[in-house]
Amino acid sequence: MSQLPGIGKRTALRLVLHLLKQPKEQTGFLSQALLNMREDIKFCRSCHNISDTTVCEICANSGRNHQTICVVEDIRDVMAIENTGQYKGIYHVLGGKISPIEGVGPGQLNISSLVEKVKSGKVIEIIFALSSTMEGDTTNFYIYKQIAESEIVISTIARGISVGDELEYADEITLGRSILHRVPFEKTFKNN
Ligand SMILES: [Zn+2]
């Protein structure tokens, strides 16, 4: 229990004591629900978003702009951006950020499938929407280096969101605006 994010030893103990007080079948239901979640939930073959079908609802929607791809860290970011109702393109979920401290290298993230998509020539714009932390910037730049040669627009969401804020916690209006007023990625590291 204490290995779950945000749950320290004390909370873990409280949860365990709670479960022990419940009828035994209650724990059975919970265990089964957790197993079902792992069994049933798949990841979209195309964008790696969470999905109960091989291709997620967003990728399968022909009304969306499939030539614009918003690159995000995880599915919480997809949810946050979808909630703004301002974005009509599709996504690419990396599954994390490059973080040498946490031992996460580019090979563990969904980067090569993104580079392949760009090289397929079907993409017009890539929008980086990772949090503006050092790991986020490192990841953006790593991907940028691999796709910079392609003749596509590479942009980043406008930083109405202050440094260190996670997209998940940004308010919908600010986040929606930062997507609409995105800036060329090169401007964020050149000329200064
Ligand atoms: Zn998808």
Side-chain angles (χ1 to χ4, degrees):
M1 289 273 189
S2 61
Q3 290 185 359
L4 293 168
I7 298 187
K9 285 223 166 83
R10 241 185 232 196
T11 310
L13 181 61
R14 192 148 53 96
L15 292 172
V16 169
L17 292 176
H18 172 79
L19 287 173
L20 288 174
K21 270 189 227 155
Q22 302 284 313
K24 210 173 177 182
E25 57 266 29
Q26 200 65 33
T27 318
F29 292 144
L30 178 63
S31 314
Q32 197 55 50
L34 289 172
L35 278 175
N36 290 350
M37 178 194 70
R38 281 310 303 248
E39 293 285 324
D40 298 344
I41 289 182
K42 301 183 198 79
F43 292 94
C44 172
R45 193 176 56 189
S46 177
C47 74
H48 313 285
N49 186 14
I50 208 161
S51 173
D52 42 21
T53 46
T54 21
V55 174
C56 77
E57 273 180 22
I58 298 171
C59 290
N61 184 346
S62 58
R64 311 256 332 194
N65 172 3
H66 285 243
Q67 295 175 313
T68 301
I69 299 180
C70 182
V71 180
V72 295
E73 183 184 335
D74 65 36
I75 55 165
R76 290 172 301 177
D77 304 324
V78 173
M79 289 173 187
I81 296 173
E82 282 301 286
N83 284 340
T84 69
Q86 299 290 336
Y87 179 66
K88 300 290 172 234
I90 56 171
Y91 297 90
H92 188 93
V93 182
L94 296 175
K97 286 175 289 197
I98 297 173
S99 170
I101 294 167
E102 287 171 38
V104 183
Q108 285 145 275
L109 304 173
N110 301 316
I111 292 178
S112 56
S113 53
L114 174 65
V115 175
E116 268 170 46
K117 271 186 219 172
V118 171
K119 291 189 172 157
S120 76
K122 290 177 191 148
V123 180
I124 287 179
E125 183 176 2
I126 289 285
I127 306 164
F128 290 127
L130 302 188
S131 52
S132 48
T133 54
M134 209 194 345
E135 289 88 359
D137 291 344
T138 305
T139 312
N140 286 342
F141 199 68
Y142 179 85
I143 299 171
Y144 170 77
K145 278 193 291 179
Q146 306 208 27
I147 60 174
E149 306 256 292
S150 315
E151 294 203 341
I152 59 164
V153 178
I154 304 171
S155 55
T156 181
I157 59 170
R159 295 298 187 197
I161 302 168
S162 59
V163 176
D165 277 355
E166 301 291 336
L167 294 188
E168 191 191 356
Y169 304 117
D171 74 84
E172 286 172 17
I173 297 165
T174 311
L175 182 56
R177 237 184 252 144
S178 67
I179 293 166
L180 292 179
H181 303 289
R182 52 190 184 265
V183 293
F185 181 66
E186 286 88 346
K187 277 201 181 162
T188 62
F189 61 89
K190 281 181 188 164
N191 307 323
N192 60 57

